[in-house]
Amino acid sequence: METKYTGPKILLLIVLLLTACSPIPSESVTVRETEISEGPAAGEVKIAAENTAEPVASGMEATIPMTEVTMLHSSMVGRDYRINVALPLNYSKNTSKTYPVVYLLDGDLLFGALTGPTRLLQAVNELPELIIVGIGYGMPWDDTGEVKRLRELDYTPNASPDGGAEQFLKFIQDDLIPYIDANYRTDPMDRTIGGVSYGGLFPLYVLFSAPETFNRYIAVSPALWWGDRMIFACEQEYADEHSDLPVILFLAVGGLEEKQYPTSGMVSNLVEFHRRLEDRNYSGLEMEMMIFEGETHHSVFPGAFSRGLRSVFR
């Protein structure tokens, strides 16, 4: 287990801006709608972006190649989720190959930011080819009040009426993962989940309630303060009954977050959490933690998630 401290990754941020959602100058993108006839999502409409040979229309929105979108209903949670899927660029060339899947929370905001840099790292063999699944709500982030309400409902444990992580986990286990496995060539033995803030807290909730759901976990700037640090109690309950935790875990936080949110203890809580897991000496646990100096709660994601993927797939 290792703790590292690093400065800002300026080059990575430049690459992010250049690659995340770059348009294709000689091609346009059409939208394809198909009704799914098999699998757990039978009857759902899948919307796929396809490249065509037609010239790009003036004013057309930039689209990420080899991505698909579908709305998936959860009867457990009682609402629809927008599911963005990014396939490896060579997905159609090798029809027998299966791929690890990375499930990304806050997909409405972060899906595009992750897809381009991840493909770059795949192209230079710093990451394996991956399927990225962004889980979102299909609403703009300028509606911050509603987005915040839904994130709190889905990503926080059930310590209060606002916590709905148990139901959201059941949606992932019973609806989303079966849908992805039925419609794409996935490796069912290689799943990763990751997120930021509340979205970084939820993977840790899964880690101590159903760790077998995923093989790799990425928690960036997790809201460990939530519910009077309830996640520490979740870890204690797990430790009381288990001596092993066979997963790969990456933890990260921005070095400026402690000052940015002094009552939340973003850095100190994560350092304490990491030390606690080290002291447990769980069998099978591989773990790395990094503090990204000079980064805030909102700027840390690009470099931290890129480093997190390389850490858990090393």
Side-chain angles (χ1 to χ4, degrees):
M1 302 179 190
E2 183 178 4
T3 304
K4 294 184 179 179
Y5 302 85
T6 183
K9 303 297 185 181
I10 301 301
L11 179 59
L12 179 61
L13 293 177
I14 294 174
V15 171
L16 169 66
L17 293 173
L18 293 176
T19 63
C21 296
S22 57
I24 303 175
S26 61
E27 298 177 330
S28 65
V29 179
T30 60
V31 173
R32 169 171 53 88
E33 296 189 3
T34 57
E35 183 172 306
I36 301 167
S37 59
E38 298 179 348
E44 294 283 347
V45 174
K46 182 166 64 175
I47 306 171
E50 293 183 320
N51 297 332
T52 73
E54 299 176 4
V56 174
S58 176
M60 186 176 182
E61 291 187 0
T63 304
I64 304 174
M66 290 297 290
T67 60
E68 299 185 354
V69 182
T70 191
M71 298 301 295
L72 196 61
H73 181 72
S74 169
S75 57
M76 173 62 68
V77 180
R79 59 174 160 270
D80 296 334
Y81 290 92
R82 177 186 171 101
I83 307 302
N84 299 317
V85 180
L87 301 173
L89 295 179
N90 293 320
Y91 185 80
S92 62
K93 295 180 180 180
N94 187 347
T95 58
S96 62
K97 185 175 181 179
T98 60
Y99 301 89
V101 182
V102 175
Y103 290 86
L104 175 68
L105 303 173
D106 290 321
D108 292 323
L109 182 67
L110 302 179
F111 177 76
L114 183 64
T115 300
T118 299
R119 287 176 171 173
L120 174 64
L121 294 173
Q122 293 169 12
V124 295
N125 297 317
E126 293 186 25
L127 277 179
E129 291 185 302
L130 306 168
I131 295 174
I132 301 172
V133 177
I135 311 170
Y137 301 104
M139 62 179 58
W141 267 67
D142 54 10
D143 187 3
T144 54
E146 181 63 7
V147 170
K148 183 176 184 294
R149 184 185 73 84
L150 293 175
R151 294 175 77 243
E152 288 180 349
L153 283 172
D154 285 345
Y155 297 166
T156 59
N158 297 5
S160 73
D162 291 334
E166 181 179 358
Q167 289 81 2
F168 184 61
L169 174 58
K170 288 185 179 297
F171 159 69
I172 291 175
Q173 292 173 323
D174 298 343
D175 297 326
L176 180 56
I177 289 177
Y179 168 78
I180 295 298
D181 286 349
N183 288 279
Y184 302 98
R185 298 196 311 274
T186 67
D187 180 352
M189 303 303 294
D190 197 341
R191 300 186 183 114
T192 300
I193 187 169
V196 181
S197 193
Y198 281 156
L201 176 65
F202 179 78
L204 300 180
Y205 166 78
V206 180
L207 181 64
F208 300 126
S209 58
E212 71 284 352
T213 307
F214 299 96
N215 312 90
R216 312 170 199 269
Y217 291 76
I218 300 174
V220 176
S221 301
L224 301 180
W225 54 265
W226 187 89
D228 196 22
R229 306 205 316 167
M230 180 187 178
I231 200 65
F232 285 85
C234 293
E235 189 277 335
Q236 181 64 59
E237 291 178 7
Y238 182 88
D240 289 342
E241 299 183 5
H242 302 84
S243 60
D244 65 333
L245 188 58
V247 302
I248 305 175
L249 172 64
F250 178 79
L251 303 167
V253 67
L256 298 179
E257 293 190 53
E258 192 86 1
K259 181 178 180 180
Q260 185 180 11
Y261 298 111
T263 61
S264 298
M266 296 298 296
V267 178
S268 55
N269 273 334
L270 192 63
V271 170
E272 179 183 347
F273 181 78
H274 174 256
R275 185 179 299 116
R276 175 183 286 206
L277 295 187
E278 283 192 317
D279 291 343
R280 298 288 190 199
N281 197 27
Y282 285 115
S283 174
L285 175 62
E286 300 179 34
M287 178 173 58
E288 181 180 14
M289 190 192 84
M290 297 184 71
I291 297 176
F292 286 73
E293 297 298 346
E295 301 295 349
T296 69
H297 189 68
H298 303 97
S299 69
V300 71
F301 168 77
F305 219 91
S306 170
R307 185 64 184 88
L309 284 173
R310 284 176 289 153
S311 177
V312 300
F313 280 100
R314 64 182 182 273

